Amino acid sequence: MINVAVLGYGTVGSGVVEVIEQNKAIVNKKSAAELNVKYILDLREFPGDPYEDKIVHDVNVILEDEEVSIVCEVMGGVGAAYQFTKQALEKGKSVCTSNKELVAKHGPELLELAKANNCNYLFEASVGGGIPIIRPLNASLTAEKIEAITGILNGTTNYILSKMEKEGADFAEVLKEAQDKGYAERNPEADVEGHDACRKIAILSSLMMGKNVDSEKIVTEGITKVTAADFMYAKAAGCTIKLFGMSKALSDDEVLAMVAPFMISKEHPLAMVNDVFNAVFVTGNMLGDSMYYGRGAGKLPTASAVVSDVVDCARHQGKSILCFWDKEEVKLADVAETEKAFYVRATADAKAEIEAAFPGGKVLTVEDRSKDFGYFTPVMKEKDFAAKCEKLGDKVLSKIRLA
Amino acid sequence: MINVAVLGYGTVGSGVVEVIEQNKAIVNKKSAAELNVKYILDLREFPGDPYEDKIVHDVNVILEDEEVSIVCEVMGGVGAAYQFTKQALEKGKSVCTSNKELVAKHGPELLELAKANNCNYLFEASVGGGIPIIRPLNASLTAEKIEAITGILNGTTNYILSKMEKEGADFAEVLKEAQDKGYAERNPEADVEGHDACRKIAILSSLMMGKNVDSEKIVTEGITKVTAADFMYAKAAGCTIKLFGMSKALSDDEVLAMVAPFMISKEHPLAMVNDVFNAVFVTGNMLGDSMYYGRGAGKLPTASAVVSDVVDCARHQGKSILCFWDKEEVKLADVAETEKAFYVRATADAKAEIEAAFPGGKVLTVEDRSKDFGYFTPVMKEKDFAAKCEKLGDKVLSKIRLA
């Protein structure tokens, strides 16, 4: 029997217990062992809960019980979660987590600690919710030099953008509706400003490079400036708008990474990823493009990924699973120096100025819109685009990168 | 150093050598060992080939060399390939293969043999070419009760159907063009009649069930009867047509599996899988839907999958990787008894008869087509649909299942 402790009995934590219990026969078969949830750590009491008797309030009960060999850290945050994870790993207990913030911040250190103690630190649930993406990168695409990763990594923003597209509604309106339905937090900043996607692309980029990509250095823009009008012009051009976390290996030591809304062709496989679904698009030098799609959040999908890590730990008791993510920092390329084309929306009276500023581009028109127009610039440096937009001032109403 | 032998120096075999050589640094790092291609078995000579000195004509050179611990079987067929695989496994050499025919036919026996000899029989490349799907099923979706798998599993037929849709061309015309370009074999039967997709869905179904699904018992229809007219009616209904390999677990011992063209909504994630791309759609009881997309064929993508298996073998030397696929046969449900809706195309004069035969359905019209019409039946048993179509005789021009 393998004893498991769950740290945090919130949404994901209760999901982990539910998956282990409800799919007991499968999980035990796949683990080649019997899994038993021995403890659930939470500060709260859960009177009447079927697992009430497993609740403990002191993490030391878990840390000092030699029978516990796997710990699921689903508390979130980088305070107590960081301490408990370190303590568990130091005692040779494997840790499985959905905590992207902690993984992005302390991944290499915790992986090293796990290795030193012949146990594992696994984090399949930290990116893409239930979508298998971490294990495919670590254990499936092992013959590939991975050149680029582009993902729709945040369910809340994808839900909002999908709704805006479908209903022609503006951001604020859809955000409010999403909050009312519980799809967006009351304090939505981490999602809508792109911070959540940033942590996830930092994790994926680090695995791509085998070295550390500092999430705090990634240029990050959210979706708050995207308007219903932009979706109209996108549609006129056969495009849609998605929040991408994207990362491209420029060399073994340098990566171009950013989080921002991108306007993409409706023909792109990522264009059909709607609502709360996520997808990760990976480009390798032998395989070319591959994509991994599914539910990027939610209690049971996320819990399923945590439990798949528990199964992997059970299969590798006392053995460290290979994961390449060194402490060495990767250089982040200066986004301002990179080249791409852009969409701008500008006031109708500025047509001549826009065409003069970005010669050789393409005008987009939408019936019944007379006060503004859309424009695709040619490929140009980000810094040149920014400088020209600054000169144009208030005449530029929106700007979105093309991918 | 880990010595590898490659059986068959054709398209995939030369790709395997190329991937190991070109991505040497990555492959060795991910293997935590140095891989060395020691032998290449082929009956032909390859004068001037950079690996000419590794070519051998006698498999016993490989089988009797104790230094060889991993064998890549990329010969194809179920004759010599079967013998050589058995002999290698009996000697404790792991075998990695792209040979779907052999895996579908002798999978459980070869897996058992590998286990008995503390080595591995891995077959990531047998389904979906370079798309990681076998390892995700075996090692990632381990907390899921997998309920259904639906895949676009054959690149040739997907290329033909995509072309038919895009160009409004008929099957025979596009097939000829595909043959001229080398995308389809001169003898295209295995692809266009669905046999290749059948073997692949048999493998996926067996892994879903953990027991053997006999590919020869799977109802299999190809795409030869799909016409340009059918694509016109599909378009009118917001649909497209794809060749699916599909499988649904009805109980722990019974599966509903078939290969056939299906008419699907353009909104379905599989609808955007075009040209030679493949994708596998997996439904689990916790995660819900997830999808794995990429190049389903081709030299380097397929070779990349074979080499990812070589890396996995290198990581698990002397240890058997868990794979659940027992010899016990799964019962295949009688497709005739299952229910679904159907598309029919019929002669214009049969409208009243069609509506009387399938009351409550929906007529589809396409401008400028006056000699036929399309019709969606309500959901009904396959056998009832077939009986009614038989009565209608020549008036029914096409019939395709709806998904």
Side-chain angles (χ1 to χ4, degrees), chain B residues 335-358:
Chain B
V335 170
E337 295 291 336
T338 60
E339 292 196 326
K340 55 182 69 67
F342 297 83
Y343 152 85
V344 290
R345 184 168 58 90
T347 53
D349 60 0
K351 207 169 223 167
E353 278 172 90
I354 291 284
E355 289 186 305
F358 310 109

Side-chain angles (χ1 to χ4, degrees), chain A residues 5-223:
Chain A
V6 178
L7 311 187
Y9 201 38
T11 305
V12 179
S14 59
V16 167
V17 176
E18 188 175 332
V19 170
I20 292 177
E21 288 299 316
Q22 200 177 316
N23 282 354
K24 188 187 275 289
I26 290 166
V27 169
N28 288 347
K29 182 180 174 186
K30 298 286 169 86
S31 301
E34 194 188 329
L35 297 185
N36 174 53
V37 176
K38 189 167 181 183
Y39 302 111
I40 299 167
L41 179 77
D42 205 289
L43 295 178
R44 298 164 292 178
E45 303 286 348
F46 292 88
D49 187 279
Y51 305 103
E52 189 184 356
D53 60 322
K54 297 178 190 290
I55 302 277
V56 295
H57 305 302
D58 178 3
V59 73
N60 291 308
V61 174
I62 293 165
L63 294 172
E64 273 152 33
D65 186 337
E66 286 184 5
E67 284 187 350
V68 173
S69 50
I70 302 172
V71 172
C72 300
E73 186 274 290
V74 287
M75 305 161 55
V78 293
Y82 178 44
Q83 287 308 320
F84 296 171
T85 298
K86 276 204 294 190
Q87 290 172 300
L89 294 172
E90 279 162 1
K91 289 190 177 283
K93 300 180 197 304
S94 289
V95 176
C96 308
T97 189
S98 59
N99 186 342
K100 55 224 157 202
E101 199 182 347
L102 184 59
V103 176
K105 193 157 183 180
H106 297 292
E109 177 198 350
L110 296 170
L111 281 164
E112 198 175 85
L113 194 58
K115 200 174 172 187
N117 289 282
N118 294 317
C119 58
N120 288 290
Y121 182 56
L122 300 183
F123 44 90
E124 181 62 73
S126 68
V127 181
I131 308 170
I133 179 62
I134 303 296
R135 202 169 284 105
L137 283 175
N138 281 339
S140 284
L141 299 175
T142 50
E144 292 291 318
K145 184 167 173 57
I146 298 181
E147 297 171 338
I149 298 179
T150 303
I152 294 175
L153 301 170
N154 179 270
T156 304
T157 48
N158 203 49
Y159 173 84
I160 292 173
L161 293 174
S162 300
K163 270 275 199 192
M164 286 174 70
E165 181 181 34
K166 208 177 288 175
E167 298 175 1
D170 258 313
F171 172 76
E173 190 184 328
V174 177
L175 172 62
K176 196 184 166 303
E177 192 193 320
Q179 286 174 317
D180 291 344
K181 284 192 178 169
Y183 290 166
E185 309 269 349
R186 282 291 138 202
N187 181 352
E189 199 187 313
D191 292 317
V192 302
E193 295 295 356
H195 305 315
D196 176 77
C198 173
R199 287 170 193 138
K200 292 169 176 171
I201 195 66
I203 295 170
L204 296 177
S205 304
S206 298
L207 294 175
M208 172 174 80
M209 303 300 288
K211 298 172 187 170
N212 196 49
V213 175
D214 183 348
S215 67
E216 291 178 15
K217 291 184 185 155
I218 295 176
V219 170
T220 300
E221 277 178 30
I223 63 163

Side-chain angles (χ1 to χ4, degrees), chain B residues 74-226:
Chain B
V74 287
M75 306 161 57
V78 294
Y82 178 45
Q83 288 308 321
F84 297 171
T85 299
K86 276 203 295 190
Q87 289 171 303
L89 294 173
E90 279 161 1
K91 289 191 178 284
K93 299 181 198 303
S94 289
V95 177
C96 308
T97 189
S98 58
N99 187 340
K100 56 225 156 201
E101 198 181 350
L102 184 58
V103 176
K105 193 158 183 180
H106 297 292
E109 178 199 348
L110 296 170
L111 282 164
E112 199 175 84
L113 194 57
K115 199 174 171 186
N117 291 283
N118 294 317
C119 58
N120 287 290
Y121 183 56
L122 301 184
F123 44 90
E124 181 62 72
S126 68
V127 180
I131 309 170
I133 179 62
I134 303 296
R135 201 168 284 103
L137 283 175
N138 281 339
S140 283
L141 300 175
T142 49
E144 291 291 319
K145 185 168 172 56
I146 298 181
E147 296 171 339
I149 298 179
T150 303
I152 293 175
L153 300 170
N154 179 270
T156 304
T157 47
N158 203 48
Y159 173 83
I160 292 173
L161 293 174
S162 300
K163 270 274 198 195
M164 287 175 71
E165 181 181 33
K166 208 177 288 174
E167 299 175 1
D170 258 315
F171 172 76
E173 191 183 326
V174 178
L175 172 62
K176 198 187 165 300
E177 193 192 320
Q179 286 174 320
D180 292 345
K181 284 192 178 168
Y183 291 165
E185 309 270 349
R186 282 290 137 202
N187 180 353
E189 199 187 314
D191 291 319
V192 301
E193 296 295 354
H195 304 315
D196 175 77
C198 173
R199 286 171 194 136
K200 292 169 177 169
I201 195 67
I203 295 170
L204 296 177
S205 304
S206 298
L207 295 175
M208 172 174 78
M209 303 300 289
K211 299 172 186 170
N212 196 49
V213 174
D214 183 350
S215 68
E216 292 179 14
K217 291 184 185 154
I218 295 176
V219 170
T220 301
E221 277 177 30
I223 63 164
T224 57
K225 292 177 188 160
V226 178

Side-chain angles (χ1 to χ4, degrees), chain B residues 196-344:
Chain B
D196 175 77
C198 173
R199 286 171 194 136
K200 292 169 177 169
I201 195 67
I203 295 170
L204 296 177
S205 304
S206 298
L207 295 175
M208 172 174 78
M209 303 300 289
K211 299 172 186 170
N212 196 49
V213 174
D214 183 350
S215 68
E216 292 179 14
K217 291 184 185 154
I218 295 176
V219 170
T220 301
E221 277 177 30
I223 63 164
T224 57
K225 292 177 188 160
V226 178
T227 66
D230 298 326
F231 272 105
M232 290 182 206
Y233 288 107
K235 191 180 176 191
C239 292
T240 186
I241 302 163
K242 294 290 183 190
L243 182 68
F244 277 178
M246 59 86 81
S247 183
K248 200 175 164 183
L250 301 183
S251 73
D252 286 349
D253 304 302
E254 190 176 12
V255 74
L256 170 65
M258 70 187 306
V259 173
F262 277 81
M263 200 175 275
I264 61 168
S265 162
K266 276 284 202 183
E267 302 288 312
H268 193 290
L270 287 171
M272 69 82 199
V273 179
N274 287 318
D275 305 323
V276 297
F277 280 84
N278 280 194
V280 183
F281 202 78
V282 180
T283 307
N285 71 333
M286 295 295 165
L287 172 54
D289 298 330
S290 59
M291 189 173 77
Y292 310 83
Y293 164 95
R295 284 179 196 278
K299 174 179 171 170
L300 292 176
T302 307
S304 172
V306 174
V307 178
S308 78
D309 280 346
V310 172
V311 171
D312 217 8
C313 288
R315 289 182 179 191
H316 293 87
Q317 291 268 78
K319 204 189 156 187
S320 192
I321 299 165
L322 287 179
C323 176
F324 298 95
W325 182 352
D326 290 347
K327 280 183 177 170
E328 189 189 335
E329 293 285 331
V330 173
K331 191 185 162 202
L332 278 134
D334 184 357
V335 170
E337 295 291 336
T338 60
E339 292 196 326
K340 55 182 69 67
F342 297 83
Y343 152 85
V344 290

